[in-house]
Amino acid sequence: MNIIETKKLTKYYGKSLGIIDVDLTVEEGEIFGFIGPNGAGKSTTIRTLLGLIHPTSGSATIFGKDVTKFGPEINEEIGYLPSEVFYYDDMRAIDLLRYSGSFYKKDPKAIASRIKGLANLLDLDLNKKIDDLSYGNKKKVGIIQGLLHEPKLIILDEPTGGLDPLMQQRFFDLLRAENKKGATILFSSHILNEVQKLCNRVAIIKDGRIIKVEKISSLAENTHKRFKLETAVKVDKSRFTGLKGVSDLVITDKSVNFLYRGRINDVTKIIASLNLTNMLVEEPDLEEIFMHYYK
């Protein structure tokens, strides 16, 4: 079952483009990554899914229900953490979270227990006023607010800002635990190693359009290899002229570094003709793969 499904989802802000023809499917029980730099269209897509803004055209469903027709019903089972969180500064964290929990048709005792458990896990003092909390601790309040009702779908928009590395790891462990309990997760980020650690599949968005949807494992396996060569003498760049599949070619005094995608026999013929002293072939990291799609 597809928990999220969009078809040709498009949003214009006047004459300015937000997203265009976004086709996405997020399967039940999946941790799905949504990556792209700031301004690529990630937040616009998420806000449209949540019914915070209406699409110009196209459609989106969550739990099989149209997001524009059944927004309040759908949102009962969604936990959302925006990239920026803003609260009433004079409220204590516990009062804010109790107030948030009152909007859901859940047992108040279960909500209270859940808030306490999450606060202990995240090391958050619930009795402090919002205004007295650091940026990282305000983000913890947002995490608890998004998870306190044990939602079936968790939507996270750049969720780790302000969290130190130890707390980020604790947060990721929490998300994995929620996923094991059955929650589906849409994880939007421009920090690629977060997506690589956490997600099963990933969609890459550029200028409001989806340019690739792929399994994380396949994204690395089916793309370029990084070649690092050391030579006895400097190599002339013309040796690689005409070889399709070479990119990011850098030649220094006695080294050659490049990405290659293509027939391995073609590149090994050129390598064999060089006066090599050392060679290393690596899988590119997700950052390199991502930048390749953005060129």
Side-chain angles (χ1 to χ4, degrees):
M1 175 184 174
N2 292 329
I3 295 295
I4 297 174
E5 186 169 352
T6 71
K7 295 180 179 178
K8 303 293 184 184
L9 192 63
T10 298
K11 175 63 180 178
Y12 278 91
Y13 300 99
K15 294 182 179 180
S16 299
L17 171 65
I19 54 173
I20 186 166
D21 292 342
V22 169
D23 291 331
L24 275 182
T25 57
V26 179
E27 299 170 6
E28 185 174 11
E30 188 172 24
I31 304 180
F32 189 90
F34 194 34
I35 61 175
N38 293 330
K42 303 188 301 299
S43 293
T44 296
T45 303
I46 287 171
R47 289 170 187 157
T48 306
L49 289 172
L50 292 168
L52 300 175
I53 56 177
H54 290 286
T56 304
S57 61
S59 64
T61 61
I62 294 178
F63 310 128
K65 300 174 182 178
D66 187 278
V67 297
T68 60
K69 296 178 181 178
F70 299 96
E73 181 181 336
I74 292 168
N75 289 338
E76 276 283 326
E77 300 295 346
I78 294 178
Y80 170 51
L81 178 62
S83 56
E84 298 288 340
V85 289
F86 301 98
Y87 300 120
Y88 298 109
D89 288 343
D90 287 336
M91 291 185 76
R92 294 185 306 158
I94 184 63
D95 296 327
L96 172 73
L97 292 169
R98 284 172 180 163
Y99 179 64
S100 298
S102 70
F103 286 97
Y104 299 100
K105 299 171 185 175
K106 306 281 183 179
D107 179 4
K109 289 183 179 179
I111 291 277
S113 176
R114 174 79 163 166
I115 290 170
K116 184 178 179 181
L118 290 171
N120 288 337
L121 179 68
L122 297 174
D123 237 356
L124 177 68
D125 184 348
L126 291 171
N127 290 310
K128 282 192 173 183
K129 287 188 175 182
I130 300 296
D131 194 37
D132 295 332
L133 296 177
S134 67
Y135 175 56
N137 281 323
K138 287 179 182 177
K139 183 58 70 82
K140 293 177 189 178
V141 173
I143 292 169
I144 297 172
Q145 187 180 40
L147 300 181
L148 57 79
H149 57 302
E150 298 189 271
K152 294 179 181 177
L153 172 63
I154 301 169
I155 297 179
L156 306 165
D157 191 2
E158 307 284 357
T160 59
L163 300 180
D164 63 50
L166 180 61
M167 195 53 62
Q168 285 182 22
Q169 187 57 54
R170 199 173 295 183
F171 175 52
F172 290 156
D173 290 342
L174 172 60
L175 292 178
R176 292 186 186 100
E178 294 301 304
N179 179 245
K180 283 184 179 180
K181 285 164 34 180
T184 302
I185 300 173
L186 175 63
F187 188 98
S188 172
S189 181
H190 66 274
I191 303 174
L192 303 178
N193 66 345
E194 292 182 352
V195 175
Q196 194 167 20
K197 288 176 185 175
L198 196 66
C199 299
N200 312 119
R201 289 192 304 141
V202 62
I204 300 174
I205 188 168
K206 175 184 179 182
D207 298 332
R209 295 178 182 269
I210 302 295
I211 56 174
K212 187 75 174 179
V213 179
E214 188 66 276
K215 288 183 178 180
I216 288 287
S217 55
S218 299
L219 200 62
E221 289 170 2
N222 298 330
T223 55
H224 297 66
K225 298 291 185 287
R226 167 69 64 185
F227 283 79
K228 297 180 179 179
L229 313 177
E230 294 178 7
T231 59
V233 296
K234 185 171 181 177
V235 176
D236 193 284
K237 191 173 183 178
S238 63
R239 291 287 191 103
F240 292 89
T241 302
L243 179 61
K244 294 181 179 179
V246 170
S247 60
D248 292 349
L249 177 63
V250 177
I251 298 176
T252 55
D253 185 30
K254 293 182 181 179
S255 69
V256 182
N257 195 327
F258 60 92
L259 286 171
Y260 178 72
R261 181 179 183 180
R263 286 166 43 89
I264 196 67
N265 287 346
D266 293 342
V267 73
T268 52
K269 286 179 183 178
I270 293 175
I271 291 172
S273 70
L274 305 177
N275 193 351
L276 285 184
T277 59
N278 198 11
M279 181 176 75
L280 179 66
V281 182
E282 299 177 314
E283 297 288 344
D285 61 27
L286 195 59
E287 182 84 36
E288 289 178 304
I289 295 168
F290 178 79
M291 292 311 298
H292 165 71
Y293 284 112
Y294 257 73
K295 285 182 179 177

